[in-house]
Amino acid sequence: MKFFVDTADTNEIRDLAATGLLDGVTTNPSLIHKSGRKFLEVVEEICGIVDGPVSAEVVALDHETMMKEAAVLRKIADNVCIKVPLTIDGLKTCKALTGEGVMVNVTLCFSANQALLAAKAGATFISPFVGRHDDNGFDGMKLIEDIRLIYDNYAFATEILVASVRHPIHVLESAKIGADVMTAPPSVIKALFNHVLTEKGIAGFLADWEKTGQSVL
Ligand code: E4P
């Protein structure tokens, strides 16, 4: 499963990229607002840090203006992935852009039927929002299971990008279901490294090593 980080904070992205485990980045208008930076400038900087897909979202609601915004975003770098909302105009834009060989991430997906439409529109990625689904009394991971089943039934190439990930169990369940990608905030990705027994084990080994009076270097 590929790991994308869901942030526009370039310091956090640099930190995670240094682990060698980061496959891409997702941003959205709220994350750009949180960064306090200029949209095009921050996307360009992120594209210079990470080789993989960097999702940058259009904000227009009509197809023509979405295409114009996408034209600006595409010029930033080859690894820009245009993010469009799951609407009729969003999917028209998806179809047009993927036809031109541009990566497209269809966002704000909350049903398996929506995911089916995105795959038929040739989306590179579909982003079902599991956290927001859970928040509203639905089962986010069941949505991922349904999309996996449908995409496998028809051998759709669209990658399932689990979004709105809130905790490590979302990551675990995504991997068990066979999602292609998950995008999570830096804090959730960092939490994946932690286990109390790992920390306890290191402390115990180091305490005993100290008693040997030896050094490796
Ligand atoms: C995905 O691409 C979105 O940016 C993101 O995962 C939304 O997550 P949220 O529900 O925590 O805002």
Side-chain angles (χ1 to χ4, degrees):
M1 186 167 69
K2 288 176 227 168
F3 277 27
F4 290 1
V5 65
D6 197 31
T7 185
D9 181 331
T10 50
N11 290 327
E12 292 276 20
I13 295 168
R14 264 195 200 87
D15 256 16
L16 285 164
T19 65
L21 301 177
L22 193 60
D23 302 299
V25 177
T26 50
T27 67
N28 65 40
S30 303
L31 292 170
I32 297 296
H33 173 64
K34 196 172 160 196
S35 77
R37 296 186 53 191
K38 287 208 165 26
F39 180 32
L40 303 186
E41 187 185 289
V42 78
V43 170
E44 186 173 3
E45 187 177 337
I46 297 170
C47 288
I49 303 170
V50 178
D51 292 334
V54 174
S55 288
E57 190 160 343
V58 298
V59 287
L61 295 177
D62 66 284
H63 171 62
E64 283 71 27
T65 321
M66 281 184 190
M67 289 300 287
K68 284 182 190 155
E69 290 180 355
V72 172
L73 296 171
R74 288 168 63 175
K75 277 198 208 125
I76 295 175
D78 288 343
N79 56 333
V80 167
C81 174
I82 307 297
K83 209 174 183 190
V84 299
L86 210 152
T87 60
I88 291 179
D89 284 65
L91 292 189
K92 267 170 78 175
T93 305
C94 172
K95 183 95 183 158
L97 290 173
T98 53
E100 293 175 23
V102 177
M103 288 186 287
V104 177
N105 177 358
V106 178
T107 191
L108 291 165
C109 168
F110 291 94
S111 81
N113 276 338
Q114 287 181 319
L116 177 58
L117 292 172
K120 286 176 69 67
T124 317
F125 301 104
I126 180 68
S127 287
F129 278 34
V130 293
R132 294 192 195 187
H133 214 59
D134 292 352
D135 291 346
N136 284 277
F138 299 97
D139 182 349
M141 296 321 301
K142 177 72 172 67
L143 174 61
I144 305 303
E145 275 176 20
D146 287 349
I147 299 172
R148 180 76 283 159
L149 177 70
I150 292 167
Y151 280 14
D152 289 349
N153 279 349
Y154 298 100
F156 282 123
T158 300
E159 295 190 32
I160 302 172
L161 195 175
V162 181
S164 189
V165 163
R166 298 273 160 78
H167 47 68
I169 300 298
H170 276 151
V171 180
L172 176 67
E173 292 299 325
S174 299
K176 283 163 72 176
I177 293 166
D180 303 284
V181 193
M182 74 88 202
T183 189
S187 58
V188 173
I189 296 181
K190 286 178 181 165
L192 299 175
F193 289 89
N194 301 335
H195 196 288
V196 65
L197 293 179
T198 305
E199 283 155 34
K200 200 174 160 193
I202 290 173
F205 286 153
L206 287 187
D208 287 340
W209 177 247
E210 193 111 331
K211 289 176 206 153
T212 69
Q214 300 178 49
S215 76
V216 179
L217 300 176

mmCIF file with all atom_site columns, all heavy atoms in Angstrom, residues 62-74:
data_model
loop_
_atom_site.group_PDB
_atom_site.id
_atom_site.type_symbol
_atom_site.label_atom_id
_atom_site.label_alt_id
_atom_site.label_comp_id
_atom_site.label_asym_id
_atom_site.label_entity_id
_atom_site.label_seq_id
_atom_site.pdbx_PDB_ins_code
_atom_site.Cartn_x
_atom_site.Cartn_y
_atom_site.Cartn_z
_atom_site.occupancy
_atom_site.B_iso_or_equiv
_atom_site.pdbx_formal_charge
_atom_site.auth_seq_id
_atom_site.auth_comp_id
_atom_site.auth_asym_id
_atom_site.auth_atom_id
_atom_site.pdbx_PDB_model_num
ATOM 1   N N   . ASP A 1 62 ? -17.666 24.594 -12.197 1.00 0.00 ? 62 ASP A N   1
ATOM 2   C CA  . ASP A 1 62 ? -18.089 24.263 -13.560 1.00 0.00 ? 62 ASP A CA  1
ATOM 3   C C   . ASP A 1 62 ? -16.906 23.723 -14.362 1.00 0.00 ? 62 ASP A C   1
ATOM 4   O O   . ASP A 1 62 ? -15.750 24.092 -14.118 1.00 0.00 ? 62 ASP A O   1
ATOM 5   C CB  . ASP A 1 62 ? -18.688 25.491 -14.253 1.00 0.00 ? 62 ASP A CB  1
ATOM 6   C CG  . ASP A 1 62 ? -17.640 26.559 -14.461 1.00 0.00 ? 62 ASP A CG  1
ATOM 7   O OD1 . ASP A 1 62 ? -17.282 27.236 -13.473 1.00 0.00 ? 62 ASP A OD1 1
ATOM 8   O OD2 . ASP A 1 62 ? -17.120 26.682 -15.597 1.00 0.00 ? 62 ASP A OD2 1
ATOM 9   N N   . HIS A 1 63 ? -17.227 22.853 -15.319 1.00 0.00 ? 63 HIS A N   1
ATOM 10  C CA  . HIS A 1 63 ? -16.215 22.138 -16.106 1.00 0.00 ? 63 HIS A CA  1
ATOM 11  C C   . HIS A 1 63 ? -15.212 23.070 -16.791 1.00 0.00 ? 63 HIS A C   1
ATOM 12  O O   . HIS A 1 63 ? -14.001 22.861 -16.695 1.00 0.00 ? 63 HIS A O   1
ATOM 13  C CB  . HIS A 1 63 ? -16.930 21.256 -17.138 1.00 0.00 ? 63 HIS A CB  1
ATOM 14  C CG  . HIS A 1 63 ? -16.031 20.635 -18.146 1.00 0.00 ? 63 HIS A CG  1
ATOM 15  N ND1 . HIS A 1 63 ? -15.034 19.745 -17.812 1.00 0.00 ? 63 HIS A ND1 1
ATOM 16  C CD2 . HIS A 1 63 ? -15.967 20.794 -19.500 1.00 0.00 ? 63 HIS A CD2 1
ATOM 17  C CE1 . HIS A 1 63 ? -14.395 19.365 -18.908 1.00 0.00 ? 63 HIS A CE1 1
ATOM 18  N NE2 . HIS A 1 63 ? -14.940 19.985 -19.940 1.00 0.00 ? 63 HIS A NE2 1
ATOM 19  N N   . GLU A 1 64 ? -15.725 24.120 -17.442 1.00 0.00 ? 64 GLU A N   1
ATOM 20  C CA  . GLU A 1 64 ? -14.828 25.003 -18.210 1.00 0.00 ? 64 GLU A CA  1
ATOM 21  C C   . GLU A 1 64 ? -13.790 25.641 -17.288 1.00 0.00 ? 64 GLU A C   1
ATOM 22  O O   . GLU A 1 64 ? -12.599 25.662 -17.594 1.00 0.00 ? 64 GLU A O   1
ATOM 23  C CB  . GLU A 1 64 ? -15.601 26.122 -18.944 1.00 0.00 ? 64 GLU A CB  1
ATOM 24  C CG  . GLU A 1 64 ? -16.307 25.657 -20.213 1.00 0.00 ? 64 GLU A CG  1
ATOM 25  C CD  . GLU A 1 64 ? -17.519 24.770 -19.933 1.00 0.00 ? 64 GLU A CD  1
ATOM 26  O OE1 . GLU A 1 64 ? -18.130 24.918 -18.830 1.00 0.00 ? 64 GLU A OE1 1
ATOM 27  O OE2 . GLU A 1 64 ? -17.850 23.918 -20.785 1.00 0.00 ? 64 GLU A OE2 1
ATOM 28  N N   . THR A 1 65 ? -14.263 26.171 -16.153 1.00 0.00 ? 65 THR A N   1
ATOM 29  C CA  . THR A 1 65 ? -13.306 26.838 -15.253 1.00 0.00 ? 65 THR A CA  1
ATOM 30  C C   . THR A 1 65 ? -12.396 25.820 -14.576 1.00 0.00 ? 65 THR A C   1
ATOM 31  O O   . THR A 1 65 ? -11.215 26.088 -14.338 1.00 0.00 ? 65 THR A O   1
ATOM 32  C CB  . THR A 1 65 ? -14.062 27.714 -14.214 1.00 0.00 ? 65 THR A CB  1
ATOM 33  O OG1 . THR A 1 65 ? -15.157 28.351 -14.855 1.00 0.00 ? 65 THR A OG1 1
ATOM 34  C CG2 . THR A 1 65 ? -13.152 28.753 -13.614 1.00 0.00 ? 65 THR A CG2 1
ATOM 35  N N   . MET A 1 66 ? -12.931 24.627 -14.297 1.00 0.00 ? 66 MET A N   1
ATOM 36  C CA  . MET A 1 66 ? -12.058 23.567 -13.732 1.00 0.00 ? 66 MET A CA  1
ATOM 37  C C   . MET A 1 66 ? -10.908 23.287 -14.689 1.00 0.00 ? 66 MET A C   1
ATOM 38  O O   . MET A 1 66 ? -9.765  23.134 -14.275 1.00 0.00 ? 66 MET A O   1
ATOM 39  C CB  . MET A 1 66 ? -12.847 22.267 -13.521 1.00 0.00 ? 66 MET A CB  1
ATOM 40  C CG  . MET A 1 66 ? -13.713 22.244 -12.295 1.00 0.00 ? 66 MET A CG  1
ATOM 41  S SD  . MET A 1 66 ? -14.484 20.602 -12.142 1.00 0.00 ? 66 MET A SD  1
ATOM 42  C CE  . MET A 1 66 ? -15.648 20.903 -10.838 1.00 0.00 ? 66 MET A CE  1
ATOM 43  N N   . MET A 1 67 ? -11.232 23.219 -15.988 1.00 0.00 ? 67 MET A N   1
ATOM 44  C CA  . MET A 1 67 ? -10.188 22.936 -16.998 1.00 0.00 ? 67 MET A CA  1
ATOM 45  C C   . MET A 1 67 ? -9.147  24.052 -17.026 1.00 0.00 ? 67 MET A C   1
ATOM 46  O O   . MET A 1 67 ? -7.952  23.795 -17.152 1.00 0.00 ? 67 MET A O   1
ATOM 47  C CB  . MET A 1 67 ? -10.804 22.754 -18.388 1.00 0.00 ? 67 MET A CB  1
ATOM 48  C CG  . MET A 1 67 ? -11.595 21.470 -18.567 1.00 0.00 ? 67 MET A CG  1
ATOM 49  S SD  . MET A 1 67 ? -10.633 19.960 -18.311 1.00 0.00 ? 67 MET A SD  1
ATOM 50  C CE  . MET A 1 67 ? -9.606  19.911 -19.777 1.00 0.00 ? 67 MET A CE  1
ATOM 51  N N   . LYS A 1 68 ? -9.614  25.294 -16.868 1.00 0.00 ? 68 LYS A N   1
ATOM 52  C CA  . LYS A 1 68 ? -8.679  26.434 -16.864 1.00 0.00 ? 68 LYS A CA  1
ATOM 53  C C   . LYS A 1 68 ? -7.773  26.373 -15.632 1.00 0.00 ? 68 LYS A C   1
ATOM 54  O O   . LYS A 1 68 ? -6.569  26.596 -15.721 1.00 0.00 ? 68 LYS A O   1
ATOM 55  C CB  . LYS A 1 68 ? -9.450  27.763 -16.877 1.00 0.00 ? 68 LYS A CB  1
ATOM 56  C CG  . LYS A 1 68 ? -10.032 28.088 -18.238 1.00 0.00 ? 68 LYS A CG  1
ATOM 57  C CD  . LYS A 1 68 ? -10.732 29.445 -18.201 1.00 0.00 ? 68 LYS A CD  1
ATOM 58  C CE  . LYS A 1 68 ? -11.524 29.638 -19.489 1.00 0.00 ? 68 LYS A CE  1
ATOM 59  N NZ  . LYS A 1 68 ? -12.627 30.548 -19.353 1.00 0.00 ? 68 LYS A NZ  1
ATOM 60  N N   . GLU A 1 69 ? -8.370  26.063 -14.487 1.00 0.00 ? 69 GLU A N   1
ATOM 61  C CA  . GLU A 1 69 ? -7.556  25.965 -13.260 1.00 0.00 ? 69 GLU A CA  1
ATOM 62  C C   . GLU A 1 69 ? -6.566  24.809 -13.372 1.00 0.00 ? 69 GLU A C   1
ATOM 63  O O   . GLU A 1 69 ? -5.402  24.926 -12.978 1.00 0.00 ? 69 GLU A O   1
ATOM 64  C CB  . GLU A 1 69 ? -8.469  25.766 -12.039 1.00 0.00 ? 69 GLU A CB  1
ATOM 65  C CG  . GLU A 1 69 ? -9.287  27.001 -11.696 1.00 0.00 ? 69 GLU A CG  1
ATOM 66  C CD  . GLU A 1 69 ? -10.202 26.807 -10.490 1.00 0.00 ? 69 GLU A CD  1
ATOM 67  O OE1 . GLU A 1 69 ? -10.271 25.678 -9.965  1.00 0.00 ? 69 GLU A OE1 1
ATOM 68  O OE2 . GLU A 1 69 ? -10.836 27.774 -10.087 1.00 0.00 ? 69 GLU A OE2 1
ATOM 69  N N   . ALA A 1 70 ? -7.054  23.697 -13.931 1.00 0.00 ? 70 ALA A N   1
ATOM 70  C CA  . ALA A 1 70 ? -6.175  22.528 -14.087 1.00 0.00 ? 70 ALA A CA  1
ATOM 71  C C   . ALA A 1 70 ? -4.991  22.867 -14.986 1.00 0.00 ? 70 ALA A C   1
ATOM 72  O O   . ALA A 1 70 ? -3.861  22.423 -14.737 1.00 0.00 ? 70 ALA A O   1
ATOM 73  C CB  . ALA A 1 70 ? -6.967  21.350 -14.658 1.00 0.00 ? 70 ALA A CB  1
ATOM 74  N N   . ALA A 1 71 ? -5.234  23.693 -16.012 1.00 0.00 ? 71 ALA A N   1
ATOM 75  C CA  . ALA A 1 71 ? -4.148  24.066 -16.937 1.00 0.00 ? 71 ALA A CA  1
ATOM 76  C C   . ALA A 1 71 ? -3.048  24.818 -16.180 1.00 0.00 ? 71 ALA A C   1
ATOM 77  O O   . ALA A 1 71 ? -1.855  24.610 -16.438 1.00 0.00 ? 71 ALA A O   1
ATOM 78  C CB  . ALA A 1 71 ? -4.703  24.920 -18.068 1.00 0.00 ? 71 ALA A CB  1
ATOM 79  N N   . VAL A 1 72 ? -3.449  25.650 -15.229 1.00 0.00 ? 72 VAL A N   1
ATOM 80  C CA  . VAL A 1 72 ? -2.460  26.392 -14.427 1.00 0.00 ? 72 VAL A CA  1
ATOM 81  C C   . VAL A 1 72 ? -1.696  25.423 -13.523 1.00 0.00 ? 72 VAL A C   1
ATOM 82  O O   . VAL A 1 72 ? -0.466  25.455 -13.443 1.00 0.00 ? 72 VAL A O   1
ATOM 83  C CB  . VAL A 1 72 ? -3.174  27.477 -13.563 1.00 0.00 ? 72 VAL A CB  1
ATOM 84  C CG1 . VAL A 1 72 ? -2.206  28.129 -12.595 1.00 0.00 ? 72 VAL A CG1 1
ATOM 85  C CG2 . VAL A 1 72 ? -3.844  28.506 -14.459 1.00 0.00 ? 72 VAL A CG2 1
ATOM 86  N N   . LEU A 1 73 ? -2.432  24.530 -12.867 1.00 0.00 ? 73 LEU A N   1
ATOM 87  C CA  . LEU A 1 73 ? -1.813  23.597 -11.908 1.00 0.00 ? 73 LEU A CA  1
ATOM 88  C C   . LEU A 1 73 ? -0.878  22.611 -12.624 1.00 0.00 ? 73 LEU A C   1
ATOM 89  O O   . LEU A 1 73 ? 0.202   22.297 -12.117 1.00 0.00 ? 73 LEU A O   1
ATOM 90  C CB  . LEU A 1 73 ? -2.901  22.840 -11.131 1.00 0.00 ? 73 LEU A CB  1
ATOM 91  C CG  . LEU A 1 73 ? -3.800  23.722 -10.245 1.00 0.00 ? 73 LEU A CG  1
ATOM 92  C CD1 . LEU A 1 73 ? -4.981  22.930 -9.700  1.00 0.00 ? 73 LEU A CD1 1
ATOM 93  C CD2 . LEU A 1 73 ? -2.999  24.320 -9.101  1.00 0.00 ? 73 LEU A CD2 1
ATOM 94  N N   . ARG A 1 74 ? -1.289  22.146 -13.791 1.00 0.00 ? 74 ARG A N   1
ATOM 95  C CA  . ARG A 1 74 ? -0.472  21.167 -14.543 1.00 0.00 ? 74 ARG A CA  1
ATOM 96  C C   . ARG A 1 74 ? 0.894   21.708 -14.900 1.00 0.00 ? 74 ARG A C   1
ATOM 97  O O   . ARG A 1 74 ? 1.851   20.954 -15.035 1.00 0.00 ? 74 ARG A O   1
ATOM 98  C CB  . ARG A 1 74 ? -1.163  20.812 -15.870 1.00 0.00 ? 74 ARG A CB  1
ATOM 99  C CG  . ARG A 1 74 ? -2.366  19.974 -15.754 1.00 0.00 ? 74 ARG A CG  1
ATOM 100 C CD  . ARG A 1 74 ? -3.132  19.929 -17.042 1.00 0.00 ? 74 ARG A CD  1
ATOM 101 N NE  . ARG A 1 74 ? -2.388  19.315 -18.138 1.00 0.00 ? 74 ARG A NE  1
ATOM 102 C CZ  . ARG A 1 74 ? -2.917  19.081 -19.337 1.00 0.00 ? 74 ARG A CZ  1
ATOM 103 N NH1 . ARG A 1 74 ? -4.177  19.388 -19.571 1.00 0.00 ? 74 ARG A NH1 1
ATOM 104 N NH2 . ARG A 1 74 ? -2.210  18.520 -20.274 1.00 0.00 ? 74 ARG A NH2 1
#
